[in-house]
Amino acid sequence: AVSLDTFTRAPELTLPSSNLRTKYPITFSYNLPELPATDTAKIKIGSVTLLLPTAQGSASFGANLLSDPAPSSGGKIQSTIGTPLADGTYNVTLEYKDSLGNDLQTVVSYDVVVDSVTERPTLSSPTGSQVYKAPITFTYSLPETSEANSVKLVFREDETTLLTLTLAPAQGTSF
């Protein structure tokens, strides 16, 4: 029997999915339903292109993108890194041509947010080098939404922690 293959079957990109918020290492999970042509299987995110192993099937790996990504089960993931990928919102594209050289197929995960750096909080009051008497009002702002139980107010004297208060998550508040 003769079979005619005139197109590349669509790849699947399951991670990162559209509208996902992630940090380093970024987990990539994909499926190539056909054997890819050499050097055509790629994941692109921002200015970074990851050249994937020439293998059919599914794979997952974590990549720091600030250094060489981890090897996958199918071989070494190669990266064309010019500058580190900055925090921000990206579209992630998976593309490949089948081993017969049929047209390139792509799939895109839209609006993937890479957020690996915690922005610095601001304590507006009380200010340092002043003496206060009770009650003291603390005013602070957080430039981004915090994770549960991660906002702490720490009282120290000479590098010794005297008291730690865990605050309710918020983007900016006072108490």
Side-chain angles (χ1 to χ4, degrees):
V2 174
S3 92
L4 184 60
D5 184 352
T6 59
F7 68 96
T8 301
R9 291 175 45 204
E12 299 170 37
L13 181 61
T14 52
L15 281 177
S17 58
S18 290
N19 302 306
L20 180 76
R21 187 172 199 90
T22 188
K23 59 185 178 180
Y24 291 121
I26 300 171
T27 300
F28 296 93
S29 185
Y30 65 93
N31 180 52
L32 301 178
E34 297 182 79
L35 185 66
T38 302
D39 295 339
T40 66
K42 299 173 186 172
I43 291 179
K44 296 179 179 180
I45 178 169
S47 62
V48 176
T49 298
L50 302 172
L51 184 59
L52 304 173
T54 304
Q56 178 180 349
S58 299
S60 293
F61 64 94
N64 188 319
L65 302 185
L66 297 175
S67 59
D68 287 333
S72 72
S73 59
K76 179 78 172 150
I77 305 294
Q78 298 176 26
S79 172
T80 57
I81 299 173
T83 58
L85 188 67
D87 281 4
T89 302
Y90 297 92
N91 294 333
V92 179
T93 303
L94 170 63
E95 64 181 39
Y96 85 111
K97 283 185 179 184
D98 68 15
S99 61
L100 297 176
N102 288 316
D103 289 343
L104 185 74
Q105 285 287 333
T106 63
V107 63
V108 180
S109 290
Y110 295 96
D111 300 324
V112 175
V113 177
V114 176
D115 185 6
S116 295
V117 178
T118 301
E119 295 182 44
R120 188 176 204 66
T122 303
L123 180 63
S124 305
S125 68
T127 57
S129 303
Q130 293 188 19
V131 177
Y132 293 88
K133 66 180 197 174
I136 301 172
T137 299
F138 293 89
T139 305
Y140 64 94
S141 64
L142 305 175
E144 57 190 340
T145 303
S146 63
E147 292 183 7
N149 301 317
S150 69
V151 179
K152 298 182 187 310
L153 186 59
V154 180
F155 297 87
R156 290 190 177 112
E157 183 177 333
D158 300 324
E159 301 301 316
T160 302
T161 299
L162 304 174
L163 175 67
T164 300
L165 301 174
T166 301
L167 309 177
Q171 276 194 273
T173 191
S174 66
F175 67 96

